Amino acid sequence: MRLYGLIQLFALPLVYPEKVVFCMEKSMNSTTLARTKSEQLVIETQAAATQTSKSPTMQNEDAPITSESMGTLSRKSSQRMVVGASPGRSSGGNKNNTHIRKARSAQVKMDVEELSNGAALSRASSASLGLSFSFTGFTVPPDEITDSKPFSDDDIPEDIEAGTCKPKFQTEPTLPIYLKFSDVTYKVITKGMTTSEERDILNGITGAVSPGEVLALMGPSGSGKTTLLNLLGGRLIQSTVGGSVTYNDQPYSKFLKSKIGFVTQDDVLFPHLTVKETLTYTARLRLSKALSRQQKEKRAIDVIYELGLERCQDTMIGGSFVRGVSGGERKRVCIGNEIIINPSLLFLDEPTSGLDSTTALRTVQTLQNIAEAGKTVITTIHQPSSRLFHKFDKLILLGKGSSLYFGRASEAMAYFSSIGCSPLIAMNPAEFLLDLANGNINDISVPSELEDKVQVGNSETETRNEKPPPAVIHEYLVEAYESRVAENEKKKLMTPLPLDDEIKLKVFSSKREWGASWWQQYCILFCRGIKERRHDYFSWLRITQVLSTAIILGLLWWQSDSKSTRGRQDQAGLLFFIAVFWGFFPVFTAIFTFPQERAMLSKERAADMYRLSAYFLARTTSDLPLDLILPVLFLLVVYFMAGLRLSAGPFFLSMLTVFLCIIAAQGLGLAIGATLMDLKRATTLASVTVMTFMLAGGYFVKKVPVFISWIRYMSFNYHTYKLLLKVQYQDITPPVNGIKTDDGLWEVGALVAMIFGYRVLAYLSLRGMQLHRGA
């Protein structure tokens, strides 16, 4: 059929020359009419899209960006607004071809008579543009919209883990932030016994990324990816940082903390909270004060559905000893914790590490959707698949702390081919780039310059298979980048951004924006602390430990005699054990508080989620209701089994004394843990301290030498033991163990001073610890 058509096409001018001329003139006139009307329709379409669409508007590159028009058109929208553009890359196979054929047939079937009809013109243009809105006076039927919609890889596939299709990110416009960094350097000073050594981590890294783009930092392990990411995110403040990093041509300020989302490589989450609880607490702490609690909770639900987490929203996060959500879902929860504030800048450190290829692709697709909403995304990536690699807009390739490439990710292969490095076999672009960064040139062509260096150096150094060593390759790649790319990129960075002064001054603001008042922060953290730690405090192991100890004590001191001197001596031993047990137990429980939560505290304080004072008070007071339940059960068993003074007053006074001992011991554990922040050293110091306090507690040694007697007055065991004796034997003579039976106010005052003194020391230790910039 095609051959027959070609024969007719060439034979027609010979048989009917005058008809051919007439048809050509008619065709030219028809084409001109169609093109004129099509161009007019495109102009009207763009104007209607600008007025009716909720997505950010496209602006002229030369025109300044104002605060009223801060967003940018997403890449998908800009592709669909181009007439005659390709329907897009697709992984849909035959389904994609079907949509292409339908879209093309809709264009081919248009003739001059149909172009004069407004309804047909609207339908044809909607099919070619991929638009789903209607023009004034015309309505596109739903079946034609479905039939004419092009299929591309920008459409998110079905979420295998969640079982539903994830919608696009429809967030309000944010403050656009253009990130630029030039000649960034970073050094680490390693201090030895006698000398200190400086080691270069970053050597003059230059780059830039704009809203709507995804920048990937790629390189082998130890190349400086994470260090560069932390530096760009404002999390390194050492004096060894060099170069310039600007946000909308302004330096870093505390205001940016509320505009930056930072996803760490490790999933730092509370294991006993559910997905919904985790995101809800984050929303209540980080979202603006102007929003009500209901609006913040609704935003958390929206993020859950945007990330496809609705199936597991009531499942605990889980951890090492607790079963919870899968690795991909946990990573999406971490991303949700950051995007819930609608950040302008989003940093991610190895978001695909530990994930399978399908989950990793879904995660990167999520990042692409976030960028399309007008945000700036920077992520480190170790070894992406070819599908992941092609989803990045810009790429920085690092090797030993130096830049080997910066530019469009799609142009990386062409650049390295231009300097003589190209793969000899078909391979993943990411694998090719990482091989070059590592100096491994197997299956990679070597430029003539490097071959000459191999021949010259053969007499001095041995090379395997006549390949240049990795150091030579690294030096060649760095020199090639400096001579061909670096200068041009630095010149581009010198050009000022087309931003108005209002946006620039907004970024430069030094005022922090808290999402909640101090009291609201305290209440939220108090509730979160109780929900998180109730599983540990009421575990069957802990309850069994306390109750079994109480029963054993009750059986050993079963109905002891308090009337005889020997019986009172036996009961004094029981009272001293109670003072030691409820002094030892809380200390070693509280030691783990801050060292275990250091990663969470660093992460949340770096994002300005709350004030340190609100966190500290909520953390210490949320433990009290949980810590005071088990002592009540313990005393209910021991007190009546041992036959202590059966009266309401002595019973409640004994319980109050034990409570004071527990709170004071907790303060000591908090102070040791916050000061050392190392579990091994903290446990060692606590063991020595508690043992010393126990020996000086007044039971083993009655007369302590004067030069060491001050230890006795620092021991909470000593004051607790004296109070318990005074409660039990207040009106009995002679005094037990030589302790005077007075009112005990001095011992109460000493315990209260320990309660506040140890906690003030713990708070000052946390305040002095530099968690992150501005913490």
Side-chain angles (χ1 to χ4, degrees):
M1 294 297 293
R2 293 181 179 177
L3 181 61
Y4 178 75
L6 290 174
I7 294 175
Q8 284 186 331
L9 180 63
F10 287 102
L12 185 61
L14 300 177
V15 180
Y16 303 106
E18 66 281 355
K19 290 186 178 183
V20 171
V21 174
F22 174 75
C23 291
M24 289 178 64
E25 292 178 354
K26 182 177 180 180
S27 176
M28 291 176 63
N29 294 333
S30 302
T31 304
T32 304
L33 176 62
R35 186 170 61 250
T36 303
K37 292 191 175 184
S38 299
E39 292 174 353
Q40 182 180 0
L41 177 63
V42 170
I43 295 173
E44 295 176 355
T45 302
Q46 292 177 349
T50 304
Q51 296 176 0
T52 60
S53 176
K54 295 183 179 179
S55 62
T57 58
M58 179 180 293
Q59 299 174 349
N60 190 355
E61 294 181 358
D62 298 329
I65 303 174
T66 61
S67 58
E68 288 79 8
S69 57
M70 294 188 298
T72 56
L73 264 184
S74 64
R75 288 165 294 181
K76 185 192 301 182
S77 301
S78 61
Q79 290 172 0
R80 290 182 177 178
M81 294 298 292
V82 178
V83 177
S86 173
R89 301 186 309 275
S90 174
S91 57
N94 296 330
K95 189 176 180 180
N96 183 24
N97 296 333
T98 303
H99 284 283
I100 294 175
R101 286 197 297 271
K102 289 181 179 180
R104 289 180 176 175
S105 62
Q107 296 176 357
V108 171
K109 289 180 180 180
M110 290 192 302
D111 54 9
V112 178
E113 289 77 14
E114 289 177 336
L115 287 174
S116 61
N117 189 346
L121 184 61
S122 173
R123 290 195 298 270
S125 301
S126 299
S128 62
L129 293 174
L131 301 174
S132 59
F133 56 84
S134 60
F135 298 98
T136 305
F138 304 104
T139 303
V140 183
D143 55 344
E144 294 193 16
I145 295 176
T146 304
D147 188 58
S148 63
K149 181 181 179 181
F151 183 84
S152 69
D153 63 351
D154 290 332
D155 295 324
I156 302 178
E158 182 178 355
D159 188 352
I160 298 176
E161 293 184 0
T164 57
C165 292
K166 295 180 289 185
K168 294 291 184 183
F169 285 83
Q170 301 292 336
T171 57
E172 64 275 10
T174 56
L175 176 71
I177 294 182
Y178 294 79
L179 176 61
K180 294 181 181 180
F181 47 99
S182 177
D183 291 329
V184 172
T185 61
Y186 181 70
K187 296 180 180 180
V188 172
I189 300 177
T190 305
K191 294 183 179 180
M193 295 294 294
T194 57
T195 60
S196 59
E197 180 184 358
E198 287 189 357
R199 187 163 62 94
D200 293 333
I201 305 298
L202 299 175
N203 302 311
I205 310 299
T206 299
V209 59
S210 303
E213 294 179 339
V214 180
L215 170 65
L217 308 179
M218 210 169 76
S221 299
S223 59
K225 303 187 299 294
T226 301
T227 302
L228 179 59
L229 191 76
N230 289 329
L231 194 148
L232 297 178
R235 305 209 168 192
L236 291 178
I237 58 173
Q238 283 82 350
S239 57
T240 53
V241 176
S244 66
V245 180
T246 60
Y247 311 80
N248 289 353
D249 289 338
Q250 300 294 325
Y252 181 87
S253 65
K254 292 180 180 179
F255 169 81
L256 286 171
K257 283 189 175 186
S258 61
K259 300 298 179 183
I260 290 179
F262 199 103
V263 181
T264 57
Q265 183 175 355
D266 300 325
D267 300 332
V268 184
L269 298 167
F270 286 113
H272 292 103
L273 295 181
T274 64
V275 172
K276 184 178 180 180
E277 289 173 345
T278 300
L279 294 175
T280 300
Y281 283 128
T282 303
R284 292 177 61 188
L285 285 169
R286 300 189 67 178
L287 291 179
S288 174
K289 294 180 182 179
L291 300 178
S292 64
R293 177 174 177 175
Q294 291 74 19
Q295 290 174 323
K296 293 181 178 181
E297 292 177 352
K298 182 181 181 301
R299 173 61 180 154
I301 298 298
D302 292 341
V303 170
I304 287 175
Y305 279 89
E306 285 175 354
L307 294 173
L309 296 169
E310 61 273 12
R311 190 189 67 173
C312 61
Q313 61 179 329
D314 296 321
T315 306
M316 285 195 303
I317 298 295
S320 302
F321 306 102
V322 182
R323 292 192 61 182
V325 298
S326 65
E329 290 168 340
R330 187 180 294 110
K331 183 62 68 176
R332 278 183 280 167
V333 172
C334 292
I335 296 175
N337 266 335
E338 303 303 323
I339 68 172
I340 202 167
I341 62 171
N342 197 23
S344 300
L345 273 170
L346 181 61
F347 296 90
L348 304 100
D349 190 8
E350 300 282 359
T352 60
S353 61
L355 304 180
D356 59 87
S357 59
T358 303
T359 308
L361 179 63
R362 189 181 302 116
T363 302
V364 174
Q365 181 64 64
T366 301
L367 302 183
Q368 196 176 37
N369 296 334
I370 294 172
E372 287 176 353
K375 298 169 176 55
T376 306
V377 180
I378 302 99
T379 177
T380 61
I381 199 81
H382 183 62
Q383 192 169 359
S385 64
S386 57
R387 292 188 297 174
L388 263 66
F389 181 82
H390 290 297
K391 288 189 176 296
F392 298 129
D393 298 306
K394 288 184 177 180
L395 172 70
I396 291 181
L397 180 63
L398 298 176
K400 297 180 182 179
S402 301
S403 284
L404 305 182
Y405 175 77
F406 168 67
R408 308 295 301 180
S410 58
E411 300 172 359
M413 298 296 290
Y415 164 75
F416 284 103
S417 297
S418 68
I419 63 173
C421 299
S422 57
L424 298 176
I425 60 174
M427 60 193 306
N428 180 359
E431 293 181 358
F432 166 74
L433 297 177
L434 288 175
D435 283 346
L436 276 180
N438 277 313
N440 178 19
I441 55 174
N442 294 327
D443 302 321
I444 296 177
S445 63
V446 180
S448 58
E449 301 176 20
L450 293 180
E451 292 179 352
D452 296 338
K453 291 184 178 181
V454 172
Q455 295 175 358
V456 172
N458 266 341
S459 59
E460 299 178 359
T461 59
E462 295 183 0
T463 57
R464 187 175 299 177
N465 297 327
E466 294 186 353
K467 296 287 186 180
V472 175
I473 298 171
H474 175 76
E475 182 181 355
Y476 172 76
L477 295 176
V478 172
E479 291 178 355
Y481 172 78
E482 291 291 338
S483 60
R484 295 173 180 245
V485 180
E487 292 300 326
N488 293 332
E489 293 298 333
K490 291 179 182 178
K491 290 180 181 179
K492 292 180 182 178
L493 295 181
M494 297 298 293
T495 305
L497 292 172
L499 298 173
D500 63 358
D501 294 335
E502 182 182 354
I503 296 179
K504 290 185 178 181
L505 293 176
K506 212 169 192 179
V507 173
F508 189 65
S509 174
S510 59
K511 183 180 180 181
R512 295 185 180 184
E513 291 186 358
W514 300 104
S517 64
W518 189 95
W519 177 249
Q520 290 174 336
Q521 292 174 5
Y522 169 79
C523 295
I524 295 169
L525 294 172
F526 183 87
C527 296
R528 189 181 75 173
I530 289 181
K531 281 192 175 182
E532 166 60 23
R533 287 182 293 281
R534 62 185 176 182
H535 301 277
D536 292 334
Y537 279 91
F538 297 118
S539 63
W540 66 268
L541 189 63
R542 187 182 289 256
I543 295 175
T544 303
Q545 178 186 13
V546 172
L547 289 182
S548 60
T549 304
I551 293 172
I552 292 173
L553 290 176
L555 293 176
L556 290 175
W557 275 272
W558 176 261
Q559 297 300 317
S560 59
D561 184 16
S562 61
K563 296 180 180 180
S564 63
T565 304
R566 185 175 182 83
R568 288 194 294 269
Q569 289 291 339
D570 289 343
Q571 285 187 354
L574 173 63
L575 297 177
F576 181 76
F577 180 83
I578 293 175
V580 170
F581 181 77
W582 289 111
F584 177 89
F585 200 65
V587 167
F588 286 91
T589 303
I591 276 178
F592 295 90
T593 299
F594 295 121
Q596 284 184 339
E597 291 190 7
R598 180 174 184 174
M600 179 65 72
L601 181 61
S602 300
K603 168 191 167 185
E604 294 181 339
R605 285 285 297 147
D608 269 357
M609 286 183 64
Y610 44 73
R611 294 175 174 86
L612 184 60
S613 57
Y615 164 80
F616 181 82
L617 192 62
R619 183 65 180 84
T620 53
T621 55
S622 62
D623 290 339
L624 295 181
L626 304 175
D627 282 331
L628 299 182
I629 293 177
L630 291 180
V632 172
L633 298 177
F634 178 88
L635 284 178
L636 285 174
V637 175
V638 172
Y639 199 90
F640 297 103
M641 287 183 69
L644 297 176
R645 193 173 176 183
L646 297 178
S647 177
F651 174 76
F652 287 108
L653 287 176
S654 299
M655 188 171 293
L656 179 61
T657 302
V658 173
F659 286 173
L660 289 175
C661 178
I662 291 173
I663 300 172
Q666 268 188 347
L668 176 62
L670 293 173
I672 294 175
T675 303
L676 298 180
M677 277 295 178
D678 182 81
L679 289 179
K680 289 185 178 180
R681 292 189 295 169
T683 305
T684 303
L685 179 59
S687 301
V688 175
T689 304
V690 170
M691 182 185 64
T692 305
F693 286 174
M694 179 185 67
L695 294 176
Y699 183 79
F700 297 107
V701 182
K702 304 297 185 299
K703 186 178 180 181
V704 180
V706 178
F707 62 88
I708 203 173
S709 61
W710 55 271
I711 294 180
R712 169 173 289 184
Y713 301 103
M714 295 180 61
S715 170
F716 45 79
N717 299 127
Y718 174 70
H719 299 294
T720 304
Y721 176 53
K722 286 182 65 176
L723 278 176
L724 289 175
L725 288 177
K726 292 178 180 181
V727 168
Q728 292 296 321
Y729 313 117
Q730 185 175 7
D731 301 328
I732 298 177
T733 56
V736 180
N737 290 341
I739 296 177
K740 298 178 181 180
T741 56
D742 53 9
D743 53 7
L745 292 179
W746 193 89
E747 287 80 9
V748 172
L751 289 175
V752 171
M754 291 180 187
I755 290 172
F756 289 100
Y758 286 137
R759 280 168 171 76
V760 170
L761 178 61
Y763 177 75
L764 294 177
S765 299
L766 286 181
R767 175 64 66 182
M769 184 180 62
Q770 294 295 330
L771 299 172
H772 277 303
R773 175 181 290 193

